[in-house]
Amino acid sequence: MFGRTVSRAVLGRGVATLSTNPTIRLTATRTYATVRNSPLSEKLSINGDRLWEDIHHTAKWSAPSPGGVTRLCADENDKKVRDWFRDQLLALGADYKVNATGTQFGVFPGEDNSIPPIAMGSHLDTVATGGKFDGPLGVIGALEVMRSFKEQGIKTRAPIVLINWTNEEGARFFPLLGSSIVYAGRSTVEQAHAAASNDASELTMGGELAKIGYVGDGPNTFKEFPISAHFEIHCEQSTDLEKAGKPVGWVEGWQGMTWYDVIFHGENGHANTYPMYGRRDALTGAAKLVCELEKLAYEQNGATTVTGIHSRPWGACNIQSKCKMTFCLMHKEAEGLEQMGKIIMERVKSIASLHGLETETDRTVHLLPGNFWPEAIDCVRLACGEKGIASRTGTGHDSTMTQLLCPTAMVFARAKDGISHSPKEWTSKEDCAESALVLGKSVLNFDDYMKLKAADATA
């Protein structure tokens, strides 16, 4: 099915304008989907035991991480879980490909293969201190949906594609959303391959993907391989569902997020013998910026996090002459996010002036708050029924890239205490199964929606 000529179903188009960095502005009017669940979705059931077993089986491919999972992009454990996913797709009869950024695609035919496939996607990589559910639930849940379709003889009009996106977390290589950002046309394969390791080593994402055998010849962009829609399960990472006593939810949108790199350049010197006055200590500048970031969050009713500090030169007796900081700003409103960026850049200049430092700054990612496509959200809302509520996500996902291109929505699964990116991350067996059921029903609802739209167009 790869490389075929397809007709693109235009179901509503988001208008996005971007700067050099991926700033996303949505100004679109879109039509809602349908007012009922599709007949096929009412018949669907999910094997919760099998889903639960696979979640815990794949969690064994991890660096030492008591109770959790540490499976960074393109490490040996990532290779093992990718190989497992490949084998499951092939066993189900998928047309399987890997692209140049390591993304795995498994396409299953529909009744009309001229239609771009409906996608179910997420990621199998984790952060360095992750849990069993953030990312893997979305991929393994999608796999369970496809198994259930096969077992229950459910055939969609559109093809279906299961996707394991690469480097969603950005935990080992930056920027995050490492393959979906290329698919969306907001970066290139070359830039993705050049993504540098966060440990300040010389390793790159492209080099490490090649090392584990995951640089393929499959399609890299939406233009090469369009999809009709994208649906993704994720654990909620908040407590809205838990407080409401609901196992699942439909995600209406996301808050704004910006990532910056700031490098302070100072002067080398002896840590013991140089007088305090007149020192140009880059790490001192970074320390003051950490404090300013915390103040900024409270002042502007937003959030901030320093996600990495690399200081040089190493040694017991060196004043630090170079320090790189990576941090993110978050706000629910676009104006608030922009204001936070302006303020912190002024404070960077002030700190540098006070300590005689030179600076380099780079806004690496800039994602304004926005909403997913209503017609896709509606499919999830109907699939949730009385078991779900509306929610919003506080962070980025591969779906925040696909929504630039096609109808996209997310399914939330209830997370205990809202904890994620931690070995304590937990979604119950029953809630995992319910979220997979909602995912499958959402896909069937959207397939029915496209069928009705096509019928209306020819009437």
Side-chain angles (χ1 to χ4, degrees):
M1 301 193 70
F2 288 99
R4 70 196 188 287
T5 301
V6 297
S7 60
R8 296 194 186 185
V10 180
L11 305 171
R13 228 175 246 164
V15 179
T17 60
L18 285 90
S19 64
T20 303
N21 294 303
T23 301
I24 297 167
R25 303 176 188 274
L26 296 179
T27 55
T29 301
R30 297 161 177 162
T31 57
Y32 279 82
T34 182
V35 294
R36 60 173 176 80
N37 278 310
S38 76
L40 285 176
S41 74
E42 297 292 350
K43 300 177 181 179
L44 180 65
S45 62
I46 290 294
N47 187 330
D49 291 336
R50 181 169 57 195
L51 172 60
W52 191 248
E53 181 180 339
D54 282 347
I55 288 170
H56 290 275
H57 173 73
T58 56
K60 71 182 181 181
W61 292 309
S62 167
S65 185
V69 179
T70 295
R71 186 165 57 231
L72 302 184
C73 172
D75 69 8
E76 282 302 312
N77 290 299
D78 189 29
K79 172 179 168 50
K80 290 173 183 176
V81 77
R82 285 166 173 271
D83 289 349
W84 174 86
F85 183 57
R86 174 203 62 206
D87 292 346
Q88 307 312 305
L89 292 175
L90 292 174
L92 285 172
D95 182 7
Y96 174 78
K97 289 283 186 181
V98 177
N99 73 9
T101 60
T103 301
Q104 294 175 280
F105 299 94
V107 181
F108 297 88
E111 293 172 352
D112 183 351
N113 293 317
S114 71
I115 303 170
I118 302 170
M120 293 183 279
S122 195
H123 59 97
L124 289 169
D125 67 314
T126 76
V127 295
T129 54
K132 299 180 177 73
F133 305 94
D134 181 347
L137 173 59
V139 177
I140 300 169
L143 180 65
E144 177 53 40
V145 167
M146 201 64 232
R147 285 170 170 163
S148 297
F149 282 3
K150 290 273 189 179
E151 290 170 353
Q152 294 160 42
I154 293 174
K155 186 83 168 182
T156 52
R157 177 171 173 265
I160 304 292
V161 60
L162 273 57
I163 305 176
N164 172 33
W165 298 102
T166 295
N167 195 38
E168 190 268 2
E169 295 288 8
R172 189 181 183 196
F173 305 103
F174 198 83
L176 68 173
L177 307 173
S179 57
S180 58
I181 202 169
V182 175
Y183 182 76
R186 269 56 190 177
S187 185
T188 66
V189 169
E190 292 74 22
Q191 288 171 318
H193 281 187
S197 174
N198 291 328
D199 65 3
S201 71
E202 297 300 315
L203 298 177
T204 63
M205 190 175 93
E208 293 302 285
L209 283 172
K211 190 181 295 183
I212 66 167
Y214 274 89
V215 177
D217 58 4
N220 296 304
T221 65
F222 180 81
K223 185 177 180 180
E224 296 172 45
F225 180 65
I227 55 177
S228 290
H230 186 274
F231 293 91
E232 178 176 4
I233 307 176
H234 208 282
C235 53
E236 187 189 16
Q237 303 175 300
S238 186
T239 57
D240 290 350
L241 299 182
E242 193 171 48
K243 289 176 180 176
K246 301 291 187 179
V248 289
W250 58 92
V251 185
E252 295 185 332
W254 61 91
Q255 73 170 341
M257 293 157 277
T258 302
W259 274 261
Y260 284 93
D261 285 341
V262 173
I263 302 175
F264 288 109
H265 294 277
E267 187 175 24
N268 291 305
H270 198 294
N272 307 137
T273 63
Y274 267 46
M276 292 301 294
Y277 180 78
R279 288 188 180 197
R280 298 173 59 212
D281 189 330
L283 186 55
T284 297
K288 291 195 173 181
L289 181 54
V290 171
C291 296
E292 290 297 327
L293 282 161
E294 184 180 36
K295 287 168 56 180
L296 177 70
Y298 289 106
E299 291 168 358
Q300 299 298 316
N301 194 30
T304 62
T305 309
V306 176
T307 60
I309 298 178
H310 296 293
S311 188
R312 295 288 188 274
W314 295 111
C317 297
N318 297 91
I319 295 172
Q320 299 298 282
S321 59
K322 180 180 179 181
C323 188
K324 177 183 176 181
M325 286 180 59
T326 298
F327 60 86
C328 51
L329 315 177
M330 289 72 69
H331 205 284
K332 294 179 180 179
E333 298 176 359
E335 296 80 4
L337 186 66
E338 299 283 17
Q339 180 68 5
M340 289 176 74
K342 291 176 183 176
I343 291 171
I344 204 63
M345 286 297 102
E346 287 300 319
R347 293 184 185 178
V348 167
K349 292 177 184 177
S350 178
I351 291 167
S353 177
L354 179 64
H355 293 280
L357 305 172
E358 288 86 41
T359 62
E360 297 177 59
T361 63
D362 185 17
R363 189 174 72 176
T364 53
V365 177
H366 188 49
L367 181 69
L368 293 177
N371 296 314
F372 291 117
W373 292 58
E375 57 265 55
I377 295 170
D378 213 39
C379 289
V380 180
R381 180 184 62 80
L382 289 165
C384 287
E386 294 182 356
K387 292 184 177 181
I389 59 169
S391 189
R392 296 187 75 83
T393 180
T395 188
H397 305 275
D398 293 308
S399 289
T400 53
M401 288 293 103
T402 62
Q403 65 81 27
L404 290 167
L405 310 163
C406 65
T408 297
M410 293 184 66
V411 180
F412 265 165
R414 178 167 48 190
K416 181 174 173 53
D417 300 324
I419 294 170
S420 69
H421 285 196
S422 164
K424 295 180 180 179
E425 181 182 284
W426 187 258
T427 293
S428 72
K429 176 182 176 180
E430 294 74 20
D431 291 354
C432 287
E434 190 65 39
S435 70
L437 180 62
V438 169
L439 176 67
K441 286 185 172 184
S442 300
V443 167
L444 294 172
N445 285 344
F446 195 83
D447 188 58
D448 194 51
Y449 165 62
M450 289 201 297
K451 188 185 301 183
L452 293 172
K453 290 283 285 186
D456 288 345
T458 57

